[in-house]
Amino acid sequence: MTNLKWTGFAKKSPQERIDLIREFGLLKEESQEILQQQKKLPLETANQMAENVVSELSLPFAIAPDFLVNGKTYHLPMVTEEPSVVAAASFAAKMIKRSGGFTTTVHNRQMIGQVALFEVPNVDEATASILEKKAFLLSLANQAHPSIVKRGGGTRNLWLEPKEDFLIVYVSVDTQEAMGANMVNTMMEALVPSLEELSQGQSLMAILSNYATESLVSADCQVNISSLSRNKEEAHHLAQKLVMASRLAQVDSYRASTHNKGIFNGIDALVMATGNDWRAIEAGAHAYASRDGQYRGLSHWSYDEEAATIKGHMTLPMPIATRGGSIGLNPTVQVAHDLLGNPNAKELASLIASLGLAQNFAALKALTSTGIQAGHMKLQAKSLALLAGAKDKEVGPLVQELLKEKHMNLETSKALLQKLRQEN
Ligand code: NDP
């Protein structure tokens, strides 16, 4: 999959892009057919996935090519409705590839379930009784979902923490290739009668936690500062500003929120393309961003002046799945997994973290140099042109006219389109 010629991919039509992917041999025949025939999620399937279904909502499915992650090249499927996100990711991937690509570490891959007990008459005694039965409780939870044990997973640890008037029992579970919400919920519910008996208290709830601190992944990369500017002095200055931007997200939660939103522009797009639960990923990562009591940026950038490189690092929870949930139901999701080479959950978590870091680099680079709007306005103009009803060949000229306007909106877009049509 290395050294494929992606130059000009952005300028092609969707059909030409599909043809190119076919030429590159990146997809199985089945996936090619799904793309070629635009096979969408069947309404009957959608109707089984949620309640009160009347239709479906489509979103753009794009590809950000050439991500070098742990020495292997990947072409990342991205589902997003936001202009400029895929362009920024592709641009960052190219720059980072030139400096050696991404390296990642998957620290662990377990989910945590919790049973919150209340009205426990003696917390110390209850804690001792529960810990004494730890092995029995772990095996009891496994019996509630024996198939995950057969797959090599299952419960791994049990610990307790008193918090105000609650005594909370936590259980970590190796969920293998699944995200594990349903299996962990089943396991936690199976523990309730024993935990109530051992603690002499009552269970308020038994459920998975989305704060997946036992499912952390780190991504690292570096960028030679010559990528920031050909002028050495300017490159040095821009590198310093980029690192300051990273620091700003550590000290100011207003900035941290936007900083992390930029990271999630990439993360969510790949999480959605692969049929995963993006609310779960968001919930876990935002909680992690606040782990010391203040909400902070998830990524860190430093500047190694001697090596003339800036270095990016990001660690976050990534309880991603390649099995279960709705993954097997949506044909386009199957294409996404195929395009990635059907990675396992750990590999997929690495790709998602790398994409988030790439997206972050692109945003910080733009913000601390030309400003974010320069690139955005062109894409915004394109959206306005499409909204005004411009046909394929009209989009380019209309975008040029819109960019000359001091203030562009749908009204100006419609007026300019009418003018263009009259002139032709
Ligand atoms: P599923 O209920 O679909 O369970 C996944 C199943 O996949 C497993 O039980 C297992 O069944 C099967 N499987 C096949 N191959 C493997 C493998 N290699 N490794 C692991 N399992 C495998 O999904 P999850 O339990 O993962 O739950 C995720 C879903 O729950 C998502 O749709 C999510 O949106 C939703 N959800 C999320 C919540 C949250 O985040 N708080 C709360 C409630 C629901 P078997 O071994 O029997 O074949």
Side-chain angles (χ1 to χ4, degrees):
M1 281 204 212
T2 43
N3 298 325
L4 299 174
K5 297 262 178 299
W6 292 92
T7 320
F9 192 64
K11 296 206 170 78
K12 294 185 188 302
S13 69
Q15 184 56 54
E16 287 169 334
R17 293 188 191 117
I18 293 174
D19 292 343
L20 198 71
I21 296 170
R22 189 184 298 135
E23 260 174 52
F24 288 166
L26 290 176
L27 293 173
K28 286 187 205 136
E29 209 165 301
E30 214 176 291
S31 297
Q32 287 175 24
E33 258 171 47
I34 292 171
L35 285 186
Q36 190 65 40
Q37 295 166 18
Q38 296 291 317
K39 278 192 198 161
K40 303 280 160 56
L41 177 69
L43 190 58
E44 313 86 76
T45 312
N47 193 33
Q48 300 303 320
M49 290 165 72
E51 305 73 38
N52 300 355
V53 170
V54 291
S55 186
E56 290 162 23
L57 175 77
S58 299
L59 287 171
F61 179 99
I63 296 173
D66 263 346
F67 273 72
L68 182 64
V69 182
N70 300 325
K72 192 171 160 190
T73 302
Y74 298 86
H75 312 296
L76 307 186
M78 295 179 75
V79 169
T80 180
E81 87 299 349
E82 188 175 338
S84 92
V85 166
V86 179
S90 309
F91 161 81
K94 231 182 259 172
M95 277 196 179
I96 294 167
K97 189 177 181 179
R98 267 190 241 135
S99 301
F102 301 86
T103 51
T104 67
T105 310
V106 178
H107 301 277
N108 211 341
R109 220 200 100 72
Q110 288 166 19
M111 294 306 286
I112 298 170
Q114 60 181 169
V115 182
L117 301 167
F118 69 106
E119 289 183 356
V120 175
N122 186 322
V123 168
D124 290 340
E125 276 179 22
T127 304
S129 309
I130 291 170
L131 285 178
E132 200 187 323
K133 294 278 182 190
K134 181 170 159 177
F136 160 76
L137 292 165
L138 291 179
S139 135
L140 188 66
N142 279 339
Q143 284 163 31
H145 203 106
S147 63
I148 195 64
V149 181
K150 277 196 203 131
R151 292 184 187 281
T155 52
R156 292 293 180 261
N157 197 10
L158 178 152
W159 66 101
L160 296 103
E161 279 184 47
K163 286 182 180 166
E164 299 203 349
D165 51 340
F166 300 108
L167 177 61
I168 308 173
V169 183
Y170 299 96
V171 179
S172 57
V173 182
D174 179 340
T175 58
Q176 295 284 299
E177 289 298 305
M179 181 265 203
N182 289 320
M183 75 174 75
V184 172
N185 290 346
T186 307
M187 286 171 152
M188 294 307 103
E189 284 183 8
L191 291 179
V192 168
S194 300
L195 289 175
E196 285 187 334
E197 196 185 323
L198 289 163
S199 68
Q200 298 291 299
Q202 291 183 57
S203 160
L204 180 66
M205 63 177 75
I207 185 139
L208 165 101
S209 166
N210 286 108
Y211 191 27
T213 52
E214 296 293 314
S215 211
L216 296 180
V217 59
S218 296
D220 287 274
C221 70
Q222 54 182 25
V223 183
N224 193 295
I225 65 162
S226 61
S227 300
L228 302 177
S229 169
R230 283 193 192 139
N231 177 306
K232 267 190 179 173
E233 213 166 294
E234 199 189 358
H236 169 70
H237 181 57
L238 288 173
Q240 285 178 321
K241 279 174 71 180
L242 197 142
V243 170
M244 274 173 74
S246 157
R247 270 203 303 116
L248 177 63
Q250 293 304 310
V251 298
D252 177 38
S253 298
Y254 283 91
R255 175 58 208 153
S257 172
T258 324
H259 180 98
N260 290 344
K261 192 274 179 183
I263 291 171
F264 274 94
N265 277 341
I267 288 181
D268 282 348
L270 183 46
V271 169
M272 284 177 77
T274 53
N276 272 280
D277 181 340
W278 70 96
R279 288 88 57 206
I281 302 296
E282 290 256 3
H286 293 302
Y288 192 72
S290 318
R291 65 194 176 282
D292 70 0
Q294 186 186 323
Y295 186 86
R296 299 180 196 276
L298 284 161
S299 67
H300 297 262
W301 290 86
S302 59
Y303 178 22
D304 181 342
E305 278 195 53
E306 220 166 280
T309 54
I310 48 168
K311 294 181 176 177
H313 171 84
M314 181 164 72
T315 296
L316 79 172
M318 193 50 68
I320 209 75
T322 62
R323 297 282 185 280
S326 67
I327 291 170
L329 302 175
N330 194 325
T332 321
V333 164
Q334 294 306 306
V335 175
H337 284 267
D338 190 13
L339 186 64
L340 294 170
N342 294 297
N344 64 22
K346 286 183 178 173
E347 195 180 349
L348 182 55
S350 294
L351 297 179
I352 295 169
S354 301
L355 176 55
L357 192 58
Q359 207 79 52
N360 180 234
F361 168 70
L364 294 187
K365 182 183 176 296
L367 271 172
T368 52
S369 55
T370 51
I372 209 87
Q373 281 310 81
H376 267 226
M377 290 321 282
K378 204 167 167 193
L379 291 156
Q380 176 66 9
K382 198 171 166 191
S383 296
L384 287 172
L386 292 170
L387 277 173
K391 301 270 174 320
D392 243 15
K393 282 190 180 139
E394 293 170 331
V395 173
L398 181 53
V399 165
Q400 292 310 318
E401 290 306 309
L402 272 168
L403 288 172
K404 289 181 200 158
E405 292 291 310
K406 260 195 186 149
H407 177 67
M408 49 171 164
N409 60 15
L410 187 55
E411 209 180 320
T412 42
S413 181
K414 280 183 179 166
L416 286 169
L417 178 62
Q418 206 173 9
K419 198 165 149 235
L420 272 174
R421 283 178 176 168
Q422 279 162 2
E423 283 169 6
N424 292 322

